Amino acid sequence: MPDISHEFVCVGCADRSGPCREFETAQHWALGHSGRNPSHTTYRETIHRYWQTAMVD
Ligand SMILES: [Zn+2]
């Protein structure tokens, strides 16, 4: 089953970090993006967390 992943999307231009296994990696991308684009300061984070079901008697 895939691990949890984090992705940041810039609200200003829709550029995105891509899925990152570690939150800090996505956050680092956002900080760098704001550094290169000082007016882009708001992000939406999407977290993918997988679940698995199983039948019981
Ligand atoms: Zn942006």
Side-chain angles (χ1 to χ4, degrees):
M1 191 158 53
D3 291 327
I4 292 175
S5 66
H6 306 263
E7 183 173 32
F8 275 24
V9 179
C10 176
V11 172
C13 71
D15 200 2
R16 54 185 60 224
S17 67
C20 301
R21 183 173 291 185
E22 302 295 333
F23 170 80
E24 289 77 9
T25 306
Q27 183 185 46
H28 183 263
W29 173 87
L31 293 170
H33 185 76
S34 290
R36 292 185 300 277
N37 306 279
S39 65
H40 299 198
T41 57
T42 305
Y43 296 87
R44 176 170 51 84
E45 180 189 10
T46 302
I47 302 170
H48 293 270
R49 180 170 55 187
Y50 296 87
W51 292 84
Q52 188 170 33
T53 59
M55 299 299 288
V56 294
D57 292 335

